[in-house]
């Protein structure tokens, strides 16, 4: 949980600094982009869970 809080805090600080310096945000600007990132993470977790059950995965 500590890592999540640190990551969130870092993201808030970086987002604030980017806005302050009038730079483009370093993240997907649309919900579809954020959803894609979540999908990649969930696909990875699914593979880690199912990988040992698949005979062709070593």
């Amino acid at each position: 949980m500590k890592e999540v809080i640190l990551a969130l805090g870092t993201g808030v600080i970086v987002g604030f600094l980017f806005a302050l310096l009038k730079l483009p945000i370093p993240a997907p600007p649309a919900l579809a982009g954020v959803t894609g990132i979540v999908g990649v993470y969930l696909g990875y977790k699914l593979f880690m869970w199912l990988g040992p059950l698949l005979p062709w995965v070593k």
Side-chain angles (χ1 to χ4, degrees), residues 1 3-4 7-8 10 12 14-16 20 22 25 28 33 43 47 49:
M1 186 65 175
E3 293 172 345
V4 173
L8 179 61
T10 302
V12 168
V14 168
F16 183 87
L20 178 68
K22 299 191 184 337
I25 188 167
F47 178 82
W49 184 59

Side-chain angles (χ1 to χ4, degrees), residues 20-57:
L20 178 68
L21 299 172
K22 299 191 184 337
L23 297 170
I25 188 167
L31 181 58
V34 175
T35 305
I37 292 171
V38 171
V40 169
Y41 175 76
L42 292 176
Y44 176 82
K45 286 300 192 178
L46 181 64
F47 178 82
M48 297 308 283
W49 184 59
L50 291 177
L53 302 174
L54 304 173
W56 64 86
V57 177

